[in-house]
Amino acid sequence: MSNDYFFIKRCLSLAALGSGNVAPNPMVGAVLVYNNKIIGEGYHEKFGEAHAEVNCINNVKEGDKHLIAKSVMYVSLEPCSHFGKTPPCADLIIFHGIKKVVIGCIDTFAKVNGGGIEKLKNAGIEVVLGNWQKECNLFNKRFFTFYESKRPYIILKWAQSANGKIAAKNQANQGERVLISNDISNRLVHKWRSEEAAIMIGTCTAFLDNPTLTNRYYPGKNPKRIIIDKDLNLPPELHVFNTSSETYIFNQHSDEKKNNLHYIKISFDENILPQIMEECFKHQIQSILVEGGSVLLQSFINQHLWDECRIIANKNLIIENGLSAPNLKDAVETDSFYLLHDRVDFYKPSLLISDRN
């Protein structure tokens, strides 16, 4: 069992290399082991391209190919059993005569959901599911939340001063932003952006801060941008309307696509967040990093519509006349560390998912 767990952990390490490139597919890693020695390994590298099992088998050296049928396949997620952009991986395993497959967790996606395991067992292959399923489920938390709850995985993020302020109250008049977090923390935020499908802000944040919403300080693909602009009053010269990434503008007037701009009409007479979540599900936006402003963040908190919260607090900065940070409630801290004088705190909801949905 300990060896099995070691190889499953290796699958997860490989799977993580696909972060930011495979959504809305899950991150998956696979290794092929003969007599406790890895003879092949691979991961799902990019959406629409070969899956982990395919890359794993293809990476076996020519001199070891005769060992494939005598080896154990380890894979962090149940092999797919349906034709999508690629053929079923379960069929590939059967084709190569592999007699044992150790799986990280079941894929609850409707087109799989045990179908891959059933296909393998029907072919006489031994299938092992160990006690690491919770860990493997958490690894693909975005994927599972998206398909089980029919909405993106929501991460709230903001930076605040030591006295709990996110901006100066006169910021709008002065046109000058108060820089709260340090350069190292900013680089971490750009890493977070590279890991999510989209980043979201409200009207005031777009207008006052004019952010680019890119991960220019960290390698990887820029996230899609989600903007709330009820009456389409934001100036077109703002950075969020440039061509560096796709932008989704939720408003009450227009429902059209112009180049990389997606205008989506919703009703502002109703609760807008469920409408936005529904549209994001339709557009295959699997995760969202919500960066502001305070009113938008508080709306997510009040509606218990979040999965993680990350707060960067500058312990050396006091903003005397400032705007208060959102009031995070029904939350438990899961981690904390310092980057120079910035403390980074991580939270998750204290309510069970069943209580929130």
Side-chain angles (χ1 to χ4, degrees):
M1 182 62 71
S2 60
N3 282 348
D4 284 350
Y5 183 60
F6 172 83
F7 291 124
I8 286 293
K9 290 285 285 185
R10 177 56 184 165
C11 289
L12 293 177
S13 296
L14 289 166
L17 298 175
S19 176
N21 295 313
V22 300
N25 282 356
M27 296 177 287
V28 185
V31 297
L32 199 60
V33 178
Y34 176 75
N35 281 349
N36 285 324
K37 177 186 176 182
I38 294 176
I39 64 169
E41 58 183 26
Y43 65 98
H44 185 26
E45 299 177 12
K46 188 176 181 181
F47 176 70
E49 296 184 359
H51 287 188
E53 297 92 328
V54 178
N55 289 328
C56 175
I57 291 173
N58 287 343
N59 287 333
V60 175
K61 293 179 180 179
E62 194 62 37
D64 289 334
K65 289 192 182 296
H66 68 286
L67 300 175
I68 292 176
K70 303 174 185 178
S71 301
V72 178
M73 168 74 78
Y74 290 83
V75 60
S76 58
L77 185 67
E78 175 184 5
C80 61
S81 55
H82 66 291
F83 282 88
K85 290 186 176 294
T86 60
C89 292
D91 289 356
L92 179 72
I93 293 169
I94 295 169
F95 173 79
H96 282 279
I98 296 169
K99 300 297 188 291
K100 182 178 178 180
V101 179
V102 181
I103 295 172
C105 62
I106 295 172
D107 185 349
T108 56
F109 178 53
K111 291 183 179 180
V112 184
N113 200 17
I117 292 174
E118 183 181 7
K119 182 175 279 193
L120 294 175
K121 286 183 175 180
N122 288 341
I125 297 173
E126 179 186 356
V127 178
V128 176
L129 272 168
N131 59 5
W132 45 71
Q133 291 184 65
K134 183 177 180 180
E135 181 178 352
C136 292
N137 268 288
L138 284 174
F139 180 80
N140 268 312
K141 55 197 174 185
R142 295 162 180 81
F143 174 78
F144 287 117
T145 296
F146 186 70
Y147 285 108
E148 292 175 9
S149 300
K150 309 298 183 190
R151 66 161 177 84
Y153 188 86
I154 303 298
I155 301 172
L156 310 181
K157 171 265 165 184
W158 68 84
Q160 63 184 43
S161 64
N163 60 331
K165 306 298 181 182
I166 62 170
K169 281 191 175 179
N170 60 357
Q171 178 176 318
N173 295 328
Q174 292 182 348
E176 211 172 289
R177 294 178 62 187
V178 176
L179 299 179
I180 295 178
S181 51
N182 62 51
D183 289 343
I184 298 175
S185 299
N186 287 339
R187 187 170 177 82
L188 175 62
V189 170
H190 284 240
K191 177 180 183 295
W192 291 344
R193 290 178 178 181
S194 74
E195 295 168 344
E196 308 310 327
I199 183 170
M200 182 179 186
I201 59 173
T203 309
C204 290
T205 302
F207 182 75
L208 295 176
D209 294 351
N210 191 19
T212 60
L213 302 185
T214 63
N215 49 284
R216 60 196 177 279
Y217 299 139
Y218 198 85
K221 184 173 61 176
N222 287 328
K224 294 178 172 63
R225 299 173 292 204
I226 299 175
I227 313 295
I228 298 175
D229 186 12
K230 179 181 177 181
D231 292 311
L232 299 177
N233 289 329
L234 289 173
E237 61 270 17
L238 291 180
H239 295 316
V240 292
F241 298 123
N242 65 27
T243 59
S244 61
S245 183
E246 285 187 283
T247 300
Y248 294 78
I249 305 106
F250 287 92
N251 67 94
Q252 66 175 354
H253 301 290
S254 178
D255 200 2
E256 62 180 326
K257 185 178 185 297
K258 298 178 180 178
N259 298 319
N260 66 309
L261 304 179
H262 302 258
Y263 292 88
I264 301 176
K265 185 178 178 180
I266 59 174
S267 173
F268 281 77
D269 294 329
E270 305 171 21
N271 187 353
I272 66 169
L273 292 187
Q275 298 177 70
I276 293 173
M277 295 300 101
E278 182 178 351
E279 290 293 335
C280 287
F281 184 77
K282 289 179 184 177
H283 286 83
Q284 295 284 289
I285 297 175
Q286 196 177 93
S287 62
I288 301 175
L289 183 65
V290 185
E291 288 206 9
S294 182
V295 172
L296 179 62
L297 287 160
Q298 194 66 56
S299 296
F300 277 96
I301 295 168
N302 291 345
Q303 294 180 43
H304 305 291
L305 188 58
W306 61 285
D307 301 286
E308 290 183 38
C309 182
R310 303 168 183 177
I311 302 174
I312 300 174
N314 183 336
K315 293 303 177 179
N316 288 353
L317 176 67
I318 299 293
I319 300 177
E320 294 294 349
N321 184 30
L323 298 171
S324 295
N327 175 28
L328 186 63
K329 51 192 177 182
D330 299 323
V332 291
E333 188 172 10
T334 59
D335 196 12
S336 182
F337 58 83
Y338 273 88
L339 292 173
L340 301 179
H341 50 265
D342 289 350
R343 193 181 75 191
V344 185
D345 295 320
F346 295 79
Y347 297 88
K348 66 178 182 180
S350 57
L351 296 176
L352 296 174
I353 289 178
S354 59
D355 296 329
R356 295 190 285 127
N357 293 337

